[in-house]
Amino acid sequence: MARQRLTLQLAGITAGDYLQWVRDPDPPALDAGLLAVTVAGAPLGDTVTATLEWAGAAPSAIRAAPLAGLPLGAGARIVGCGEARAMARTGERSRDCRAAPRAGDSRRLPA
């Protein structure tokens, strides 16, 4: 079992609104590799933290977020990620953490 932590930075929407209106409460990967999703964010804040528990190895952060019902796009991008226990010990990001491009950025998302 792998535990993955993602930190999403929001623009133009509060964490409370993102969690209420944007997040999918029934994520596509639930019961298909994804065991649990725990989310937190101050209602008027601009950051959401999600802890994902996977049956096997965790996918890259850029793939894990939408699979866990956390859509990325112009209003949400990943700014931190990693294996939850390792992050707690070291405060470092994992190698698979790639931030989603900002609106208007022409870079392609990694495969």
Side-chain angles (χ1 to χ4, degrees):
M1 184 170 88
R3 185 173 290 168
Q4 182 179 37
R5 179 169 295 158
L6 304 177
T7 303
L8 279 63
Q9 182 72 48
L10 307 173
I13 188 169
T14 65
D17 285 344
Y18 180 86
L19 294 175
Q20 178 69 33
W21 302 108
V22 178
R23 177 181 71 104
D24 183 353
D26 189 22
L30 195 60
D31 295 328
L34 180 63
L35 303 175
V37 178
T38 304
V39 293
L44 298 178
D46 64 355
T47 304
V48 170
T49 302
T51 302
L52 316 176
E53 293 184 28
W54 299 93
S60 68
I62 204 80
R63 292 189 185 280
L67 288 173
L70 303 166
L72 302 174
R77 66 188 185 102
I78 298 170
V79 294
C81 68
E83 193 271 325
R85 290 183 201 131
M87 285 185 66
R89 285 193 310 267
T90 66
E92 295 179 12
R93 295 173 9 164
S94 72
R95 289 184 224 180
D96 75 346
C97 187
R98 298 180 184 135
R102 294 179 186 201
D105 192 342
S106 62
R107 291 181 299 147
R108 290 178 47 119
L109 292 177

